[in-house]
Amino acid sequence: MVGRRSLKGDYCPSARSLDVIGDWWSLLIVRDAFDGLTRFGEFEKSLGIAKNILSDRLRTLVSRGILELVPAREGGIRQEYRLTEMGRDLFPVMVALRQWGERYLFGPQEQRSSLVERETGMPVRLDIRAQNGRPIGPDDTMILKVPSQE
Amino acid sequence: MVGRRSLKGDYCPSARSLDVIGDWWSLLIVRDAFDGLTRFGEFEKSLGIAKNILSDRLRTLVSRGILELVPAREGGIRQEYRLTEMGRDLFPVMVALRQWGERYLFGPQEQRSSLVERETGMPVRLDIRAQNGRPIGPDDTMILKVPSQE
């Protein structure tokens, strides 16, 4: 990627996260894994992605601890890709992306998939709150920078 | 980007969001805008990004309605980049990315910037809940797909 530099050592956790998952395909693979996809061929079909790119992204996601290769549930020698705990903890990122997309990127009549609570079929809520439970927005927050190390 | 296809028409809101902001630089620019940066030179310095790439990404963010060019607060002819309402609504995405990074991408002693409530200096919370307020995780949810249009 032109001009890309690593943010591995950045003090900002958002920057490090983007360094690890800030690739368009990686998050789509993670989304599909949340949807229950586990096999190379399933991801390939879902994403319409070239085999070599998919293979590269899956390898990277495994090496970063987001996916793991485990024996397939039905036995045999086949292996499948599953989200690790680290990968499953990307759930809030996926929910936040989804809600923003729902709000801004669909026309009122346009069909969309939706994320609902399994038990009730009702939409899921995502809230940003202060420690005392008060809902807050960006203006209520600030970034505490670390002192620079001279 | 090799193999990239547009997801503009995808039924999945997460996919559409990634289509619009799933670029490594775009979200870093948005992060800096949340931090109060407004000028080309400020973004350039913060991100260590080449002028032509920054210029391209800023133009794209403006054309997609995430940033807007407005007259500078101190007057004169200079303009500055500010988050629109659509851009500010990316706040939960940034918070979710930050929290995941904090959890997984820093050593215990490593310095990091943190997002706190301005009033109390306490960390911000992000919760995923059912409509009745119960905290829920990925296993408590499902995707409702739209029927395919034959």
Side-chain angles (χ1 to χ4, degrees):
Chain A
M1 222 176 282
V2 188
R4 184 135 167 20
R5 70 188 168 101
S6 173
L7 291 173
K8 246 190 210 154
D10 203 283
Y11 290 133
C12 170
S14 317
R16 287 204 194 177
S17 294
L18 288 172
D19 200 50
V20 170
I21 46 144
D23 165 85
W24 194 78
W25 287 121
S26 300
L27 272 180
L28 286 173
I29 292 171
V30 168
R31 175 202 62 171
D32 280 353
F34 273 118
D35 272 8
L37 270 51
T38 58
R39 298 187 203 175
F40 190 94
E42 290 174 335
F43 292 113
E44 189 186 3
K45 193 177 161 206
S46 163
L47 299 171
I49 183 178
K51 278 189 191 352
N52 61 327
I53 298 174
L54 176 58
S55 169
D56 175 73
R57 292 308 189 280
L58 285 169
R59 201 179 312 118
T60 305
L61 286 167
V62 169
S63 76
R64 286 174 173 165
I66 293 167
L67 291 178
E68 60 187 347
L69 261 173
V70 294
R73 286 201 178 84
E74 65 268 31
I77 56 159
R78 217 170 44 72
Q79 293 201 296
E80 53 185 39
Y81 293 93
R82 297 231 200 99
L83 288 166
T84 60
E85 191 191 338
M86 181 184 183
R88 289 166 54 82
D89 279 345
L90 284 167
F91 186 59
V93 173
M94 300 310 302
V95 174
L97 282 168
R98 162 177 284 278
Q99 293 198 337
W100 186 77
E102 282 180 351
R103 177 172 298 174
Y104 288 108
L105 307 175
F106 283 79
Q109 304 302 324
E110 222 177 336
Q111 287 196 300
R112 67 194 76 181
S113 68
S114 34
L115 180 73
V116 298
E117 191 196 3
R118 199 178 282 279
E119 217 171 275
T120 61
M122 300 285 286
V124 164
R125 285 167 40 192
L126 180 154
D127 302 310
I128 312 274
R129 296 177 181 274
Q131 290 298 322
N132 68 6
R134 183 172 71 99
I136 53 179
D139 292 337
D140 305 309
T141 65
M142 55 182 286
I143 297 285
L144 286 187
K145 305 258 182 199
V146 290
S148 67
Q149 299 175 310
E150 303 282 317
Chain B
M1 222 177 283
V2 189
R4 183 136 169 20
R5 71 189 169 101
S6 172
L7 291 172
K8 247 188 210 155
D10 204 283
Y11 290 132
C12 171
S14 318
R16 287 202 194 177
S17 294
L18 289 171
D19 199 50
V20 170
I21 45 145
D23 165 83
W24 196 77
W25 288 120
S26 301
L27 271 181
L28 287 172
I29 292 171
V30 168
R31 176 202 61 169
D32 280 352
F34 273 118
D35 273 6
L37 271 51
T38 57
R39 299 187 202 173
F40 190 93
E42 290 174 334
F43 292 114
E44 189 187 3
K45 194 177 159 209
S46 163
L47 298 171
I49 181 176
K51 279 190 193 346
N52 62 327
I53 299 174
L54 176 57
S55 169
D56 174 75
R57 292 308 188 281
L58 285 169
R59 202 180 310 119
T60 305
L61 286 166
V62 170
S63 77
R64 285 173 175 167
I66 293 167
L67 292 178
E68 59 188 347
L69 262 174
V70 294
R73 287 199 177 87
E74 65 267 35
I77 56 160
R78 216 169 46 69
Q79 294 201 296
E80 51 185 42
Y81 294 93
R82 296 230 201 99
L83 288 166
T84 60
E85 191 191 339
M86 181 184 183
R88 289 166 54 80
D89 279 345
L90 283 168
F91 186 59
V93 173
M94 299 310 301
V95 175
L97 281 169
R98 162 176 284 277
Q99 293 200 337
W100 186 77
E102 283 180 351
R103 178 171 298 173
Y104 287 109
L105 306 176
F106 283 79
Q109 303 303 325
E110 223 177 337
Q111 288 195 298
R112 67 194 77 181
S113 67
S114 31
L115 181 74
V116 299
E117 192 197 1
R118 199 178 283 278
E119 217 172 278
T120 61
M122 299 285 288
V124 162
R125 285 167 39 192
L126 181 155
D127 303 310
I128 311 273
R129 297 176 181 275
Q131 290 297 321
N132 67 6
R134 183 173 71 98
I136 54 177
D139 292 338
D140 304 310
T141 65
M142 54 183 285
I143 299 285
L144 286 187
K145 306 257 181 200
V146 291
S148 65
Q149 299 176 310
E150 305 281 317

